[in-house]
Amino acid sequence: MTLKERLGKNQKFGVDARKTPSGQKSFEKLEYARLIEKVQARIVEEYNLNFETMEEEQEQLEEEIEKLLQKILEEEGLEIDQKIFIDIFQELVDEIMGFGPITTYLRDGDVTEIMVNRHDRIFVEKKGKLILTDKEFKNNAHVNHIIEKIVAPLGRRIDESSPMVDARLPNGSRVNAIIPPLAIDGSSITIRKFSEEPFQIKDLVSFGTLTPKMAEFIKACVLARLNIIVSGGTGSGKTTTLNVISSFIPNEERIVTIEDAAELRLDQVNVVRLETRPANIEGSGSVSIRDLVKNSLRMRPDRIVVGEVRSGEALDMLQAMNTGHDGSITTGHANSPRDMLSRLETMVLMAGMDLPVRAIREQIGSALHLVIHQSRMKDGSRKITHISEVQGMEGDIVIMQDIFRFIQQGMTPEGKVKGHFEFMNIMPSFIGEMESKGIPNPLV
């Protein structure tokens, strides 16, 4: 039963004005803020709150908040109507048991991203569009408190000596926070939300991200144990697509996932999830993606799935793909499939190995089979704009060819992207290998 149902209609709260005509006070905005602070302080003082156990005690805590709010209204000689009472109660619940002003947007299924630029400026992304909200934190200390509430259960820290942190919420949403002195205008939080129920390939087809034929082709490539990289810009939907692609991996195979902040949610039985660790307060003890990729090779993986390659781990990933760990999948930031290969070259050089460029390109050409490139379009929609085969080396160049492409043809009067997906009528060179493994050609 909701609070509104329990309370009944048009109920008044606090001291009856008829009984205390001289003591009744008007209820204004300042009173609202002061009342919230007072109840919150009393709750913290009277209850030993623990971020990890709070969810288990949610119902009991909500009842205590309701009682305490009524009690303080009587002590203050204030009378408010039901709507204001429910507003205050919800704000208190969000603050004490949730994540303050942003809790509303975490619950909203239409919100895909939450951006706190500073304490009084919160943006959200809805249907691909950024919107400035009317919610605010009280001050920068309030923002810092919420950041601490997010990172504390994960054993991570944020302070002046370590002013940046990557974390995740209990529902799997990705969080990045950065505080002064690096954030000049005050602490900033960026939350990338993920659906409570992981998307499936049919969802991406219904969103217009790809066509059924493209979906069948990608599924066949995963079953054929091809090495795949999903490229794209920030917010293009790479992680969502990676999660969907990974869901095609057969149940009987052992999967090792490696991420900075664990976001992938796979339904297979034989999955080992690994997560990086930042340095401790003495500056030691960090475990990087590269360390985990190296370690995963000793874990008898059938598939290695890396959330994102950013630097030297690209070399270890390519070597794994070249040494019997077929069917590995990862993502990377790039503007096009060709740019992704150039970025891989740069990332391999970041490993500190003095390798000739040709040797790096040979590694890329022999390790990678497919680049799936995804873009966030001007109208906020996500499209897989290229599915490209990596064909190997010709001279000093890695050769690629597009198998599918999204052809944009302008915008509609409503601001929607116009275009169509096109099969390039080219059969990839690995189709023979795919058919030899008993997987029918999905392109005929």
Side-chain angles (χ1 to χ4, degrees):
M1 184 183 289
T2 65
L3 177 66
K4 192 169 182 179
E5 288 167 341
R6 287 205 309 270
L7 297 178
K9 293 182 180 178
N10 302 319
Q11 189 174 337
K12 296 286 184 182
F13 301 89
V15 179
D16 192 325
R18 291 170 297 180
K19 294 180 181 175
T20 56
S22 57
Q24 184 68 23
K25 301 174 187 175
S26 63
F27 193 79
E28 297 172 350
K29 191 175 179 180
L30 286 174
E31 287 290 343
Y32 184 103
R34 189 178 65 80
L35 188 61
I36 286 173
E37 286 181 14
K38 191 159 187 173
V39 178
Q40 194 178 327
R42 288 271 285 272
I43 285 282
V44 172
E45 183 185 327
E46 295 178 22
Y47 299 91
N48 183 23
L49 297 180
N50 183 317
F51 294 153
E52 294 176 15
T53 60
M54 214 176 274
E55 195 172 328
E56 299 165 16
E57 303 163 359
Q58 180 167 347
E59 199 171 319
Q60 183 189 341
L61 261 174
E62 286 187 7
E63 288 176 11
E64 296 301 333
I65 291 168
E66 184 186 338
K67 288 177 192 170
L68 194 54
L69 178 54
Q70 296 207 45
K71 185 178 175 183
I72 290 174
L73 281 167
E74 289 172 9
E75 289 174 3
E76 297 284 316
L78 289 166
E79 183 179 66
I80 59 177
D81 63 25
Q82 187 188 91
K83 184 183 181 305
I84 295 176
F85 186 90
I86 291 172
D87 287 348
I88 294 174
F89 171 81
Q90 192 58 59
E91 194 163 328
L92 283 163
V93 170
D94 288 349
E95 186 58 44
I96 295 166
M97 304 175 68
F99 299 104
I102 60 176
T103 308
T104 304
Y105 306 117
L106 288 169
R107 289 197 202 100
D108 188 339
D110 290 334
V111 172
T112 52
E113 198 137 7
I114 302 165
M115 291 149 278
V116 180
N117 289 4
R118 61 188 198 202
H119 79 272
D120 59 349
R121 196 159 292 173
I122 302 173
F123 285 83
V124 297
E125 183 188 67
K126 272 192 177 188
K127 297 177 182 175
K129 300 291 183 182
L130 294 182
I131 302 163
L132 176 63
T133 72
D134 57 358
K135 296 277 187 182
E136 294 181 2
F137 287 88
K138 291 195 283 283
N139 48 40
N140 197 58
H142 189 193
V143 184
N144 288 344
H145 169 72
I146 296 302
I147 294 172
E148 185 62 33
K149 200 171 181 180
I150 292 169
V151 303
L154 302 174
R156 303 212 168 189
R157 65 186 181 89
I158 187 164
D159 51 41
E160 280 196 15
S161 63
S162 180
M164 297 181 288
V165 70
D166 285 309
R168 66 181 185 277
L169 296 178
N171 66 359
S173 296
R174 181 198 308 169
V175 182
N176 175 271
I178 183 165
I179 64 171
L182 301 188
I184 296 168
D185 295 325
S187 300
S188 173
I189 308 172
T190 308
I191 299 175
R192 176 78 51 80
K193 284 178 62 186
F194 294 100
S195 172
E196 295 292 334
E197 288 294 321
F199 287 130
Q200 298 179 347
I201 194 69
K202 63 182 180 184
D203 297 311
L204 298 193
V205 171
S206 68
F207 298 153
T209 303
L210 74 172
T211 64
K213 188 173 183 177
M214 292 164 72
E216 283 302 314
F217 175 71
I218 292 171
K219 183 177 180 179
C221 291
V222 174
L223 293 174
R225 300 182 63 86
L226 302 185
N227 294 321
I228 300 170
I229 187 162
V230 182
S231 65
T234 301
S236 60
K238 297 186 300 296
T239 305
T240 299
T241 299
L242 176 64
N243 206 79
V244 170
I245 291 172
S246 302
S247 70
F248 296 140
I249 299 172
N251 241 332
E252 59 270 17
E253 296 186 15
R254 179 173 170 82
I255 307 166
V256 178
T257 69
I258 299 167
E259 301 171 86
D260 270 328
E263 297 162 5
L264 295 174
R265 288 177 287 175
L266 303 182
D267 290 331
Q268 289 92 331
V269 179
N270 196 355
V271 178
V272 180
R273 302 168 75 216
L274 306 180
E275 186 176 60
T276 61
R277 186 178 72 184
N280 61 21
I281 199 161
E282 288 86 24
S284 61
S286 72
V287 180
S288 67
I289 290 267
R290 188 170 189 193
D291 297 328
L292 293 178
V293 170
K294 287 178 183 174
N295 187 76
S296 71
L297 301 179
R298 306 183 189 103
M299 296 174 68
R300 198 240 169 253
D302 289 308
R303 309 269 188 154
I304 300 171
V305 179
V306 178
E308 185 180 337
V309 287
R310 294 193 189 94
S311 56
E313 65 270 7
L315 174 61
D316 302 290
M317 188 74 195
L318 290 172
Q319 287 179 326
M321 289 173 171
N322 267 326
T323 52
H325 296 91
D326 297 333
S328 297
I329 312 170
T330 187
T331 76
H333 278 81
N335 294 325
S336 69
R338 172 60 63 184
D339 281 351
M340 188 68 250
L341 300 192
S342 300
R343 282 215 66 222
L344 279 173
E345 283 182 38
T346 306
M347 287 189 278
V348 169
L349 291 169
M350 290 167 73
M353 306 286 287
D354 191 17
L355 294 171
V357 171
R358 182 178 173 82
I360 296 171
R361 289 178 181 172
E362 283 174 350
Q363 284 264 3
I364 293 169
S366 60
L368 270 183
H369 298 105
L370 207 65
V371 179
I372 299 171
H373 186 76
Q374 189 154 327
S375 296
R376 182 176 179 272
M377 312 306 281
K378 196 172 181 181
D379 62 356
S381 63
R382 275 83 171 173
K383 306 280 187 194
I384 290 178
T385 57
H386 298 77
I387 297 180
S388 305
E389 179 193 8
V390 180
Q391 295 180 301
M393 293 283 288
E394 190 173 290
D396 288 336
I397 305 297
V398 179
I399 302 300
M400 300 181 78
Q401 68 175 5
D402 292 337
I403 301 164
F404 290 94
R405 229 173 30 197
F406 178 74
I407 311 294
Q408 187 171 343
Q409 297 166 313
M411 306 284 288
T412 68
E414 296 78 31
K416 297 290 183 184
V417 167
K418 276 200 308 187
H420 66 276
F421 294 97
E422 190 172 306
F423 171 49
M424 307 309 290
N425 286 313
I426 296 172
M427 285 294 164
S429 57
F430 50 71
I431 285 292
E433 183 186 343
M434 188 182 283
E435 290 177 330
S436 70
K437 292 176 179 177
I439 301 163
N441 184 347
L443 299 177
V444 294

